[in-house]
Amino acid sequence: MKLRYDLHLHSCLSPCGDTDMTPNNIVGMAKLLGYDIIALTDHNSCLNTPAAVKAGQRLGVTVVPGMELCTREEAHVVCLFPTVEAALAFGEWVREKSPEILNRPGIFGEQLVLDEEDQVIGKEEKLLIAAADIGIYEVLPLARSYGGTAFPAHVDKDSYSVTASLGEIPPEIGFLCAELSPRADREKVLKMYPALSDMRILQDSDSHYLENMPDAGPVLELEENTAACLIAVLDRKIG
């Protein structure tokens, strides 16, 4: 089946995410825009994925638990998991590897943890946009050890991307997918980074505000609309 997707969305847990980006609002907007499957990928944390998955179950949108990890090299990598439990366990490991830098809400924004009714149940005190002590070469094997997969985020951007940090996408790093921004010039980026020609190319919104979530566009061919099936497809070589 062809499923309309967006695998890179931020909630109000991300300090740069708008407070209106609650789990229910995100899923509700995704439903209105025509998405079949989305992923919640806050910076260096998965704490709002339980609420988002429950919202998805109520509204008929599959929500994949995930994270946008900032590596030691300050490269962003999207990590996706088949279950909330796996995502939370991964998140705990990342938190242990994150620096002891406290968030300053007045500068960076709040980092709110919500329940399934969008009520605030906590705040993450560590600054989530700081780089974790995890190297880029470690991420994919680590995500797989939790049953998930990972791919480099917005490789067309000149900051906070694998390409900006390393100058390329080394084949030995093992990524099978890569993400482009919505307005990226696909052919230009493929020409700049030849390694992408052997990878599945995704196009996600990286939305931090409800108004920035675009109408559903790109599609993925999946046998079933589940997080596990999505991960199996993304973690498989193309061709």
Side-chain angles (χ1 to χ4, degrees):
M1 63 179 74
K2 293 185 183 296
L3 300 176
R4 293 161 294 184
Y5 71 89
D6 189 341
L7 305 180
H8 190 166
L9 294 165
H10 291 268
S11 78
C12 53
L13 175 58
S14 294
C16 41
D18 189 64
T19 54
D20 285 338
M21 290 292 274
T22 67
N24 282 281
N25 283 349
I26 292 169
V27 177
M29 182 63 77
K31 180 77 172 181
L32 289 172
L33 293 171
Y35 288 95
D36 302 299
I37 184 168
I38 62 172
L40 182 60
T41 55
D42 283 307
H43 291 290
N44 286 13
S45 180
C46 299
L47 289 176
N48 273 348
T49 60
V53 168
K54 289 178 181 176
Q57 291 168 346
R58 286 197 307 272
L59 295 173
V61 177
T62 297
V63 178
V64 182
M67 172 193 293
E68 184 177 23
L69 173 64
C70 184
T71 72
R72 187 184 299 132
E73 302 85 355
E74 295 196 336
H76 287 184
V77 181
V78 173
C79 305
L80 303 178
F81 302 94
T83 65
V84 166
E85 292 76 17
L88 292 176
F90 179 81
E92 281 298 311
W93 196 87
V94 171
R95 193 176 195 278
E96 292 176 5
K97 293 289 186 177
S98 297
E100 297 296 330
I101 301 174
L102 293 179
N103 182 36
R104 298 171 67 183
I107 297 175
F108 300 109
E110 295 282 7
Q111 299 181 154
L112 304 177
V113 182
L114 307 185
D115 65 13
E116 59 187 283
E117 296 179 351
D118 284 351
Q119 298 300 307
V120 178
I121 58 173
K123 296 181 180 181
E124 174 54 67
E125 299 300 329
K126 276 191 176 184
L127 180 62
L128 293 176
I129 55 175
D133 188 19
I134 303 169
I136 185 65
Y137 283 83
E138 302 174 62
V139 179
L140 183 57
L142 179 63
R144 284 173 171 164
S145 74
Y146 286 86
T149 191
F151 54 84
H154 39 66
V155 297
D156 53 295
K157 291 190 174 182
D158 57 8
S159 62
Y160 296 109
S161 64
V162 172
T163 47
S165 297
L166 303 183
E168 59 176 346
I169 304 175
E172 63 271 20
I173 210 165
F175 288 125
L176 300 175
C177 299
E179 177 194 83
L180 299 182
S181 304
R183 295 182 178 84
D185 184 330
R186 183 188 180 103
E187 296 307 315
K188 180 180 178 181
V189 177
L190 287 174
K191 186 176 294 186
M192 288 178 63
Y193 306 111
L196 292 172
S197 61
D198 296 323
M199 302 168 70
R200 185 186 302 277
I201 305 301
L202 303 169
Q203 205 147 18
D204 301 311
S205 73
D206 191 13
S207 293
H208 292 68
Y209 294 81
L210 289 173
E211 57 265 33
N212 291 341
M213 290 177 64
D215 290 335
V219 298
L220 279 170
E221 185 78 39
L222 302 181
E223 292 183 5
E224 58 184 22
N225 189 0
T226 64
C229 185
L230 171 73
I231 289 166
V233 168
L234 297 185
D235 211 40
R236 182 188 308 154
K237 290 184 178 180
I238 61 173

